[in-house]
């Protein structure tokens, strides 16, 4: 959901990751207008007329909007739907209802900092009894296999405040600098079972 530059970047990076059966897009600015559809018209996406049409029965929902309030209703989601949200910089912005966090398996880019910055996490804690201790894992834990993976039957919510992207950029810069100084070097990653 969303059609601006951030949504476009997410689409460009997510689309090659798997063989998608279908890709649906909704943005209020696109729903009834040809304006703004330009870059989307030659892409394999269906532009829907409502947010519900966009997310109902979807396996993955990427929220990349500038909305400071919920843009989807959790009742539209399937039991195993993955919802990702980056939201906007508005104070206490939340693309999902804060109550949704009590239903979902919650992950984030950094479990120490995201709950203090992400609007839906702040509101879920103060208004819906959600506890940040229920966060199942963060980007580092997912990347290293040190946090529990989602279990079937409950939606999954991944909230990013942009820290993961910064980490990837820094890691790439360090690797590039190291590679420039050691052309024969390589990176090896070995997962250790716990």
């Amino acid at each position: 959901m969303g059609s601006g530059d951030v949504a476009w970047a997410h689409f460009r990076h997510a689309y090659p990751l798997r063989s998608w059966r279908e890709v649906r897009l909704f943005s209020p600015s696109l729903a009834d207008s040809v304006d703004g559809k330009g870059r989307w018209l030659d892409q394999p996406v269906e532009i829907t007329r409502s947010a519900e049409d966009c997310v109902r029965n979807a396996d993955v929902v990427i929220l990349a909007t500038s909305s400071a309030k919920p843009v989807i209703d959790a009742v539209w989601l399937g039991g195993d739907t993955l919802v990702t949200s980056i939201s906007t910089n508005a104070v206490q912005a939340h693309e999902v209802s804060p109550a949704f966090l009590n239903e979902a398996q919650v992950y984030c880019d950094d479990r120490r900092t995201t709950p203090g910055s992400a609007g839906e996490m702040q509101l879920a804690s103060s208004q819906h009894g959600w506890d940040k201790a229920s966060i199942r894992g963060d980007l580092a834990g997912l990347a290293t296999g040190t946090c529990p993976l989602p279990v079937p039957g409950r939606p999954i919510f991944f909230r990013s405040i942009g820290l993961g992207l910064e980490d990837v950029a820094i890691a790439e810069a360090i690797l590039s600098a190291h590679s420039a100084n050691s052309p024969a070097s390589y990176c090896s990653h070995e997962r250790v079972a716990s």
Side-chain angles (χ1 to χ4, degrees):
M1 296 209 26
S3 60
D5 291 339
V6 174
W8 177 250
H10 276 73
F11 170 75
R12 285 186 307 111
H13 293 287
Y15 189 74
L17 295 178
R18 62 189 290 188
S19 296
W20 301 94
R21 188 175 61 248
E22 65 181 324
V23 176
R24 293 174 287 200
L25 171 70
F26 175 75
S27 175
S29 64
L30 299 181
D32 296 314
S33 169
V34 176
D35 296 338
K37 289 183 182 177
R39 64 179 159 196
W40 297 102
L41 291 177
D42 62 347
Q43 300 302 317
V45 299
E46 172 193 350
I47 298 174
T48 65
R49 296 192 58 78
S50 72
E52 182 177 0
D53 290 343
C54 185
V55 304
R56 185 160 304 275
N57 299 318
D59 295 321
V60 177
V61 175
I62 298 174
L63 302 175
T65 76
S66 59
S67 180
K69 60 185 170 99
V71 295
I72 63 169
D73 188 324
V75 300
W76 303 338
L77 303 174
D80 297 317
T81 302
L82 166 63
V83 178
T84 68
S85 174
I86 57 163
S87 201
T88 185
N89 292 331
V91 175
Q92 293 190 328
H94 51 287
E95 294 173 305
V96 299
S97 167
F100 174 62
L101 274 62
N102 287 322
E103 303 170 32
Q105 301 173 78
V106 178
Y107 295 83
C108 60
D109 45 7
D110 184 81
R111 68 185 329 141
R112 292 167 293 152
T113 56
T114 305
S117 299
E120 69 285 317
M121 290 183 175
Q122 294 171 344
L123 294 169
S125 180
S126 67
Q127 298 174 5
H128 299 282
W130 179 79
D131 187 343
K132 67 181 181 180
S134 67
I135 295 173
R136 294 179 55 86
D138 58 17
L139 192 57
L142 288 165
T144 60
T146 58
C147 69
L149 295 176
V151 295
R154 287 179 54 208
I156 303 127
F157 179 63
F158 182 88
R159 178 59 155 95
S160 174
I161 58 172
L163 296 175
L165 185 56
E166 293 170 12
D167 292 345
V168 169
I170 291 168
E172 194 279 328
I174 292 169
L175 180 60
S176 293
H178 177 71
S179 297
N181 294 328
S182 304
S185 66
Y186 66 93
C187 259
S188 173
H189 178 271
E190 187 175 319
R191 181 173 278 171
V192 179
S194 54

